[in-house]
Amino acid sequence: MTSAANRPRPRPLLALGALLSALVLALLPVPSATPAAAAADGATDSAVTVTGKKGKYDDFSGLKVTVHQTKDLRSQGVRVSWEGGKPTSEGDFRRDYLQIMQCWGDDPAGPTREQCVFGATGVPVALGTLAQSRSVVAGSGGLASDPEETQYTGANAFVPFRPVGGLPPTTSTKDPTYFGALDTNEQAGARVFAGGSGEVNFEVQDATEAPHLGCGMNTAAAGATPVPRRCWLVVVPRGTHNPDGTDVTRTGEDGTVDGSPLTTTNWAQRMVVPLYFAQVDEFCPAGQAERPTAGSELVTDAVTSWQPKLCSATDSTFAFTQGGEEEARNQVLATTADSPLLGFTVAPVAPQEGAAKVVQAPVAVSGIAVAFFIESPSGVVQKMRLTPRLVAKMLTHSYQKDVSLAQGHAPHLAGNPAFFDEDPEFRKLNPEFPVLQGQPRSLMVPLQSSDTTKLVWNWLQTDAEARDFLAGKADPWGMKVNPYFKDLDLAESTSLTDFPKVDPTVTDALANGTPPLTYTITDLDPYTADLHDGALRTLRGNNNRTIQWQAGDNSPPKLINDAAMWGQRAVLAIVDTASAQRYGLATAALRNADGTFVEPTTATLTAGVAAMRATAADASVLDPDPSRAKGQAYPLTAVAYAAASMDQDTAARTAYAQFIRYAAGPGQTPGLSAGRLPAGYAPLPARQREQAETAADELERGVSGSQSPAGTGGSGGVTSAGDTGGSTGATDSGGTSGGTTEGAAAAGGTGATPPASAPSNGSVPPSSGPQQNIANPAAGITPKEVMGIIRWVLVAVLILGGSAGISGPLMLRLAQRRNP
């Protein structure tokens, strides 16, 4: 008897099943012409957890601290979290907190206390008088004295910092030779919240940022395989006891622990985690031809990641100089055979008619963000919504205390809120936002002129509310633009490439003395050097303002930085998305053209590219137009282009073509290791990769002739971003919000852009014209298009063949029924 499992299946069903299986295979998505972005290289699987110990006075054996990335490090933010602690005293840092520092040290057992960066913050906070110092007190009976301290004694005993390389140690507790209050990365006080948990983004520094630590410098002998110097992260937990055993919670005590974490008893409680850095010194073979590149900060993180791999993948060493895009365009136009260059820009390079042609290849997708670090008693703020009008208010210093902290010193702003978080418009959008203290809250902006600055102003100008406010119209709550900014034509000008600070208000310095000193808005809210600097200051919780009067020992009085109190820091900055991700910063959700609030992520940046159309000046360059950003499209998305003139010798053109191919190929694979695409970038969509390949081929061939007329798309021009086809890849696991993968593309993670008829509540906005790409006919049919044609031919063949396969058995069965 035949079992059901072994019973022969009817041939028509078998044929039908075969046909359906073949159709499924035939209809699978066609691979991109370039390799799809791969998953992370595993570097984020380097998290390390360490456990505290029972000490002489305080028991930290239940404390567990996790450092979430310990490999492939550079100067960046690293998430450090903990659980099992005792909550920090309410409202201040009097007791029960963590102190975190970075150290060097070649001993496998860990660093000595002399090798640690600590003691420079000078933060006005309710920490003990010695708790943020390198001072130690030996013996017993004195304030925070330590009976275990024997190495450093005397009235002014302190633990000196000894830098790497045998350089001289520091000579006092405030010696700024190697680090000071504005560039130290120490965390003098990290709060433990209710439940015993907490976290911070700790700034680790490689040898570029901190040469006194030397992290990432090659320690191997000449000719040997490089071994980048390992460093250490050290956590010293603080409880309720001073180093001499005094319980500060006892009746009669002040409730505040004292004593440096570097004193012997406190240091014995340390928790140590090794940190492995990427190599930062010479990684290119000697003798290779050096090829200069220069331009937009939007490519800085990507190019510095690609450089080590480009050295080995090509015969060239590519140097990079960051600068403004306009300067880069001028340099490209001035390129000759004797002065080759590859420039990076956002807006197109426009040669004069008859001049040498310039190819422009897309190499990086990123954007501009409003990053913030805001502390409150309940924790660090993670979410914020901003409209264009709110940002316009910040950029024009229209809040009273963005101009002067003194009462009544800004009468021209009377009636306006003191800070942005007191604005009714902000409160309506952010009802859960905590009530903040008196810390600085101005929006930091870069000093340099840039295409990205123009993009921000364009976003404001395409929003009716923001445009009206900039033109002088009050908002619904009566707030008006700072009158000193009203006549700058900020609502209409199309040539804004900087952030002006024109309010001339002068205020007496804090704690003013003799002679009196004053500050202006550039002291209260200083410019940042660039977008990256803004991100770094945000991570440190200090906008570097200098409004505090201080008398010098042997010099005239001066203005110094008055850092915000620990636990009360509030800093915002305009940054690039790569820097925001690098330092683990929270970023605001910005309102786009159809009213959707969107954070910068892989998916929303990809959707932002899909919304773009070609510029009027050059059809090969997409215009970052915020007015088209709808649905899940991020309004401040930008595409960076590599531009190269044909007026270069063959060797230079070939080298730069190799650069473009790497950048648009292997360089688009997200990851932490050298050669990968850093977090904060979205991988190039397939069409932009193909355009880059076409541009590289054209550059290498050295096609003769002058620049193509505008609109012809001489280098694989497009009239729209169109098909973003292919996978955008996955970013490294464990990333923070703002750069984590949200799907292969904006359209539900399929990697394909929805058609123009897709509703605007989806991922990609509808447009006034067709969404598909119109490629340059000169570029020919792409490999993807060829595969598409073959696929549909195969489908037709399968249908015809399958139909025949099914119809034969069915006809026989019908015949059997008619002739039993």
Side-chain angles (χ1 to χ4, degrees):
M1 185 175 182
T2 304
S3 69
N6 296 322
R7 189 178 298 132
R9 299 181 186 273
R11 282 177 291 175
L13 294 180
L14 289 173
L16 180 60
L19 173 59
L20 291 175
S21 298
L23 283 172
V24 169
L25 290 173
L27 292 174
L28 286 175
V30 176
S32 172
T34 52
D41 53 14
T44 50
D45 296 331
S46 61
V48 171
T49 298
V50 290
T51 303
K53 63 189 77 170
K54 181 174 176 57
K56 187 175 181 180
Y57 306 120
D58 290 297
D59 184 3
F60 299 106
S61 57
L63 178 65
K64 296 184 182 299
V65 176
T66 299
V67 181
H68 291 264
Q69 182 189 341
T70 61
K71 296 181 180 178
D72 286 312
L73 295 169
R74 51 180 175 160
S75 290
Q76 64 176 82
V78 171
R79 180 174 169 237
V80 181
S81 64
W82 50 89
E83 59 183 24
K86 185 177 178 181
T88 304
S89 51
E90 194 69 29
D92 54 34
F93 284 88
R94 297 169 66 84
R95 56 192 175 275
D96 297 310
Y97 54 85
L98 306 185
Q99 297 186 294
I100 310 173
M101 62 199 80
Q102 184 179 344
C103 315
W104 72 276
D106 296 330
D107 188 331
T112 66
R113 50 186 176 161
E114 291 84 359
Q115 295 169 322
C116 295
V117 170
F118 192 85
T121 57
V123 178
V125 64
L127 290 172
T129 56
L130 300 177
Q132 51 186 327
S133 171
R134 301 187 73 89
S135 296
V136 294
V137 181
S140 61
L143 178 65
S145 61
D146 188 350
E148 301 295 324
E149 184 62 56
T150 59
Q151 183 174 354
Y152 299 106
T153 60
N156 298 311
F158 73 100
V159 178
F161 172 73
R162 301 183 186 278
V164 71
L167 295 173
T170 54
T171 57
S172 72
T173 58
K174 296 296 183 183
D175 185 343
T177 301
Y178 303 110
F179 53 89
L182 293 181
D183 59 4
T184 184
N185 62 349
E186 66 197 76
Q187 289 276 349
R191 182 179 294 278
V192 181
F193 292 98
S197 64
E199 67 176 64
V200 296
N201 276 316
F202 184 83
E203 177 198 351
V204 296
Q205 298 177 340
D206 64 21
T208 303
E209 187 77 28
H212 48 278
L213 292 172
C215 310
M217 293 292 290
N218 181 24
T219 60
T225 302
V227 179
R229 170 168 275 112
R230 172 184 56 188
C231 281
W232 307 86
L233 186 139
V234 173
V235 178
V236 179
R238 306 302 300 272
T240 61
H241 288 84
N242 282 333
D244 65 354
T246 302
D247 185 345
V248 300
T249 64
R250 190 177 58 190
T251 302
E253 300 294 334
D254 64 1
T256 303
V257 293
D258 259 313
S260 169
L262 304 182
T263 197
T264 298
T265 297
N266 290 333
W267 182 250
Q269 296 283 80
R270 69 192 181 280
M271 305 162 74
V272 180
V273 176
L275 302 175
Y276 299 90
F277 285 77
Q279 186 178 345
V280 297
D281 47 351
E282 293 298 326
F283 40 69
C284 290
Q288 285 194 157
E290 184 171 304
R291 304 292 178 185
T293 70
S296 178
E297 185 179 358
L298 291 184
V299 302
T300 299
D301 273 25
V303 171
T304 52
S305 175
W306 296 336
Q307 282 173 318
K309 291 299 181 182
L310 282 163
C311 293
S312 56
T314 71
D315 294 328
S316 301
T317 296
F318 292 94
F320 173 70
T321 303
Q322 179 183 298
E325 291 86 356
E326 184 63 24
E327 181 183 358
R329 285 188 285 273
N330 291 335
Q331 289 177 294
V332 169
L333 292 175
T335 298
T336 66
D338 295 327
S339 57
L341 181 80
L342 184 70
F344 299 101
T345 183
V346 177
V349 179
Q352 296 292 327
E353 185 175 353
K357 183 175 181 178
V358 173
V359 300
Q360 301 183 86
V363 292
V365 174
S366 62
I368 301 303
V370 177
F372 58 92
F373 173 50
I374 297 176
E375 296 176 311
S376 75
S378 59
V380 176
V381 177
Q382 297 295 337
K383 296 290 183 180
M384 182 190 296
R385 287 184 167 193
L386 292 176
T387 64
R389 182 167 58 195
L390 281 169
V391 175
K393 293 173 180 180
M394 296 178 186
L395 293 179
T396 56
H397 289 258
S398 294
Y399 295 109
Q400 292 187 46
K401 293 194 176 181
D402 283 353
V403 170
S404 172
L405 296 183
Q407 193 70 27
H409 268 59
H412 54 292
L413 298 178
N416 285 3
F419 293 111
F420 76 86
D421 58 298
E422 298 177 12
D423 187 339
E425 179 180 6
F426 180 85
R427 281 291 167 185
K428 183 178 179 180
L429 281 174
N430 302 275
E432 303 300 321
F433 198 82
V435 175
L436 302 181
Q437 304 299 320
Q439 59 264 50
R441 282 165 250 179
S442 299
L443 177 63
M444 293 185 290
V445 296
L447 176 61
Q448 64 185 24
S449 175
S450 173
D451 289 355
T452 55
T453 302
K454 186 175 182 178
L455 172 59
V456 174
W457 286 115
N458 191 9
W459 174 54
L460 305 186
Q461 292 167 347
T462 55
D463 180 86
E465 293 177 350
R467 187 171 60 250
D468 286 347
F469 181 83
L470 291 172
K473 182 179 179 181
D475 75 0
W477 298 272
M479 181 175 176
K480 294 183 179 180
V481 70
N482 186 328
Y484 289 108
F485 290 78
K486 187 176 178 180
D487 296 330
L488 297 183
D489 196 24
L490 301 179
E492 301 293 341
S493 176
T494 60
S495 59
L496 295 169
T497 59
D498 65 344
F499 295 110
K501 292 180 182 286
V502 295
D503 190 312
T505 300
V506 176
T507 305
D508 292 340
L510 296 181
N512 213 350
T514 303
L517 298 176
T518 58
Y519 66 84
T520 66
I521 62 172
T522 55
D523 301 307
L524 180 64
D525 180 25
Y527 281 108
T528 62
D530 51 29
L531 299 169
H532 175 271
D533 181 47
L536 189 53
R537 292 192 202 178
T538 302
L539 175 66
R540 293 173 179 171
N542 190 345
N543 75 345
N544 290 14
R545 69 182 189 180
T546 52
I547 61 174
Q548 177 78 42
W549 186 95
Q550 184 188 62
D553 295 334
N554 298 303
S555 59
K558 61 182 178 180
L559 293 178
I560 62 168
N561 177 248
D562 70 316
M565 297 177 72
W566 287 82
Q568 297 184 9
R569 293 170 290 179
V571 184
L572 301 87
I574 289 181
V575 306
D576 60 298
T577 54
S579 293
Q581 274 290 288
R582 178 171 181 166
Y583 292 111
L585 302 175
T587 53
L590 304 181
R591 193 177 71 188
N592 66 13
D594 69 355
T596 305
F597 285 89
V598 185
E599 293 182 29
T601 67
T602 299
T604 62
L605 291 172
T606 302
V609 176
M612 296 179 185
R613 295 296 180 266
T615 61
D618 191 320
S620 68
V621 176
L622 294 173
D623 182 18
D625 182 1
S627 68
R628 301 191 62 86
K630 301 177 182 179
Q632 286 301 304
Y634 184 67
L636 297 184
T637 303
V639 180
Y641 289 81
S645 171
M646 290 293 188
D647 192 12
Q648 304 186 67
D649 61 35
T650 301
R653 292 199 319 274
T654 299
Y656 291 136
Q658 290 174 329
F659 181 104
I660 292 170
R661 291 191 188 101
Y662 184 91
Q668 294 301 311
T669 301
L672 297 174
S673 57
R676 300 293 186 92
L677 187 69
Y681 291 95
L684 282 174
R687 177 59 68 186
Q688 277 63 51
R689 295 193 189 192
E690 293 165 7
Q691 181 188 346
E693 289 282 353
T694 300
D697 292 344
E698 188 174 1
L699 178 62
E700 187 166 22
R701 286 196 305 269
V703 177
S704 59
S706 61
Q707 177 73 9
S708 302
T712 62
S715 299
V718 293
T719 58
S720 71
D723 176 21
T724 60
S727 170
T728 63
T731 57
D732 289 319
S733 61
T736 57
S737 64
T740 55
T741 299
E742 299 292 336
T750 63
T753 302
S757 59
S760 61
N761 62 352
S763 299
V764 179
S767 66
S768 57
Q771 279 282 0
Q772 73 273 15
N773 264 287
I774 302 176
N776 174 24
I781 299 176
T782 68
K784 180 180 176 182
E785 292 165 338
V786 173
M787 287 298 293
I789 294 170
I790 294 172
R791 177 171 66 176
W792 288 112
V793 170
L794 175 60
V795 170
V797 171
L798 285 170
I799 291 173
L800 291 174
S803 298
I806 294 172
S807 61
L810 286 176
M811 292 299 291
L812 287 174
R813 185 173 291 272
L814 288 173
Q816 291 171 354
R817 287 179 180 175
R818 291 176 182 174
N819 299 287

